[in-house]
Amino acid sequence: MKLVKVILKNFRGYNNTTIELHPDLNVLIAENDVGKSTILDALNIFFNDDAKIDTSDCNIHSEDKFIEIGACFRLEDNELVILDATNPTSLKEEHLLNRAC
């Protein structure tokens, strides 16, 4: 399973942004204060239970006061995913797949 897309809505400086990722290697290069760390912070929030979104993380120019952080993955055919160590399953069987990506 590979991460292929990051979706940020109303998160800090990103209003409605989709970041397409290369399946093998990605590099963030830009000037200071343009949002490189924000992308990494969003991924940290997405993947880690202990990372929290703060109310100040909402984009100040947003009319809708909600934050959405999404991720899209590419799965190989019949790829097995272990959601907990005792019950091997797949994302399809757990209804965790959607067509938005």
Side-chain angles (χ1 to χ4, degrees):
M1 175 170 48
K2 292 186 179 186
L3 178 65
V4 294
K5 191 184 299 184
V6 178
I7 302 163
L8 302 175
K9 293 183 182 176
N10 299 326
F11 184 64
R12 298 185 185 163
Y14 292 96
N15 195 20
N16 189 5
T17 302
T18 299
I19 303 162
E20 302 279 343
L21 300 175
H22 187 277
D24 294 324
L25 177 69
N26 293 278
V27 179
L28 299 174
I29 300 173
E31 296 177 15
N32 291 337
D33 264 353
V34 295
K36 300 179 300 289
S37 295
T38 297
I39 295 168
L40 298 176
D41 289 343
L43 289 171
N44 184 42
I45 291 167
F46 184 86
F47 285 111
N48 295 309
D49 289 336
D50 59 341
K52 303 289 184 218
I53 296 176
D54 189 77
T55 56
S56 65
D57 287 329
C58 190
N59 185 302
I60 61 172
H61 302 293
S62 169
E63 292 179 14
D64 299 320
K65 297 300 177 190
F66 71 94
I67 296 171
E68 182 178 333
I69 299 172
C72 297
F73 299 89
R74 177 174 296 127
L75 298 173
E76 300 300 323
D77 289 338
N78 299 319
E79 183 173 351
L80 184 67
V81 177
I82 299 185
L83 299 177
D84 79 39
T86 59
N87 297 309
T89 186
S90 70
L91 294 177
K92 184 175 183 178
E93 289 173 356
E94 296 296 324
H95 307 286
L96 294 173
L97 296 177
N98 61 35
R99 297 185 189 266
C101 300

